Amino acid sequence: SVDVTSKYDITYITGKLEINKIDISIRSESASKNYDGTPLTKEGASLVKGTLLDEDIITTTASSSITNPGVIDNLFSATIYDAHGIDVTNNYKIEYLHGKLEVNKIEITISSHSDSKEYDGLPLENHNHSIEKGNLMPGDYIEVAMKNSIIYPGEIGNEFTAIIYNSEHVDVSKYYDI
């Protein structure tokens, strides 16, 4: 066979070989608790879409923390390793879905006390109160300001406002659902 390539004007059009990353979605865990002054974190995440190759495994590290009442996304990072411990994360297109971390306010019910007396021309006030439901955090205390007094025969509500302070006398009412 004789090479006759030189007798031809050949135009080469190069095709492409492409390997696409594997699409997967990973969701971090969610968690909630009532406010207790300590941070809430939650490790862990789950593969919710797609599949990993053979013996690949996902490791995750959570990076979110919440202490005060509220809700945040549970952010995290993921690394994928093959059976030999080699980082193969770059073989995957990862969609990060975030669970939620929620710290709830402490539910507390405060009631004013009732009182009565016969008319004597002097005002009737009752500054006493009690906690009917829930508990204060250690060191927290309530200051109550009564709004009403009554002089003449009749009946009114013993309305009040309450502010909850911590041991440093900082208003922490926002941590309570009063």
Side-chain angles (χ1 to χ4, degrees):
S1 107
V2 176
D3 182 0
V4 293
T5 306
S6 62
K7 295 182 181 184
Y8 294 92
D9 185 14
I10 300 173
T11 302
Y12 292 95
I13 300 174
T14 305
K16 291 183 182 179
L17 300 176
E18 181 178 5
I19 297 177
N20 296 314
K21 293 182 178 190
I22 299 170
D23 284 330
I24 61 171
S25 297
I26 305 170
R27 181 182 314 278
S28 60
E29 299 291 330
S30 293
S32 67
K33 71 173 188 171
N34 290 331
Y35 173 76
D36 64 4
T38 64
L40 172 64
T41 59
K42 181 69 174 174
E43 289 290 338
S46 302
L47 181 67
V48 294
K49 179 182 139 197
T51 55
L52 300 179
L53 287 181
D54 300 326
E55 297 179 21
D56 288 357
I57 59 167
I58 300 171
T59 61
T60 59
T61 303
S63 59
S64 295
S65 175
I66 183 171
T67 301
N68 297 329
V71 178
I72 63 170
D73 286 340
N74 190 10
L75 303 177
F76 68 102
S77 61
T79 306
I80 302 173
Y81 296 99
D82 69 10
H84 306 290
I86 297 170
D87 184 341
V88 294
T89 308
N90 200 39
N91 296 338
Y92 294 88
K93 179 181 174 189
I94 302 172
E95 176 186 24
Y96 289 90
L97 305 172
H98 301 109
K100 301 292 182 192
L101 296 178
E102 180 175 14
V103 174
N104 302 307
K105 293 181 177 186
I106 298 170
E107 290 186 23
I108 191 164
T109 302
I110 306 168
S111 66
S112 62
H113 291 188
S114 298
D115 210 345
S116 65
K117 71 175 187 172
E118 287 188 17
Y119 174 76
D120 61 4
L122 299 174
L124 172 63
E125 296 178 352
N126 187 321
H127 296 272
N128 295 315
H129 66 279
S130 57
I131 297 175
E132 300 296 323
K133 176 184 169 193
N135 294 303
L136 295 174
M137 290 288 298
D140 290 358
Y141 62 94
I142 300 173
E143 285 189 5
V144 173
M146 305 314 283
K147 292 184 174 184
N148 293 330
S149 68
I150 186 170
I151 296 177
Y152 300 102
E155 183 179 291
I156 62 171
N158 194 13
E159 296 179 14
F160 65 98
T161 58
I163 300 175
I164 301 174
Y165 293 97
N166 67 13
S167 59
E168 287 84 40
H169 197 66
V170 174
D171 182 347
V172 292
S173 301
K174 64 186 175 187
Y175 302 148
Y176 290 87
D177 183 10
I178 302 173

